[in-house]
Structure formats: structure tokens, C-alpha cells
Amino acid sequence: MPHVIVKLVSGKSEQQKQELAARITADVMDVFNYGEESVSVAMEEVDAADWAAKVYRPDIIAGAKRLYKQPGYQV
């Protein structure tokens, strides 16, 4: 079942993260025709100073073939 991991720079409010999780859940349900019980969403907060080493290089550069949406900038 879909498990979505969102990596984001630290500092977003709990309310913002809850809203994003709800929207992702709704979209996964709509696109894949799953029930809510089948979808899980996690948030991984990363310090801005660590973004390049912990996310950009390993997940975006090295994992470029898995990306369905590329970032519009480079670190």
C-alpha cells in the first residue's frame, strides 16, 4: 500500500504538516483508488544546512531515475 515520505526543511508548523498529509492522502486515494486505511504519510525534517548532504545528493541526484518531479534549482 502506498507509504509516502516527505522530506522537508525543518520549521514548518504541525498544522502545515497535517494539512499536507491530508492532501497527499486524498490525492493518493483519488489517483490509485485506495481507501484511506491503505495510505500512510511520514514527514522527515532536515536542517537546511544538511539538505545537500542528506537529501539533494543521495535522493535527487543519485536517485534521478526515480523522480517524477525534478526540482527547479540545483544545490
Side-chain angles (χ1 to χ4, degrees), residues 21-41:
R23 290 185 188 197
I24 289 169
T25 299
D27 284 346
V28 169
M29 290 168 54
D30 183 49
V31 172
F32 291 144
N33 198 29
Y34 284 119
E36 186 173 6
E37 71 282 354
S38 299
V39 181
S40 55
V41 179

Side-chain angles (χ1 to χ4, degrees), residues 15-63:
Q15 181 180 0
Q16 288 173 307
K17 292 183 281 186
Q18 290 289 339
E19 177 69 19
L20 181 59
R23 290 185 188 197
I24 289 169
T25 299
D27 284 346
V28 169
M29 290 168 54
D30 183 49
V31 172
F32 291 144
N33 198 29
Y34 284 119
E36 186 173 6
E37 71 282 354
S38 299
V39 181
S40 55
V41 179
M43 303 281 171
E44 285 185 24
E45 294 189 60
V46 177
D47 288 332
D50 296 329
W51 188 260
K54 291 186 175 181
V55 179
Y56 192 77
R57 286 192 292 272
D59 293 341
I60 297 171
I61 298 298

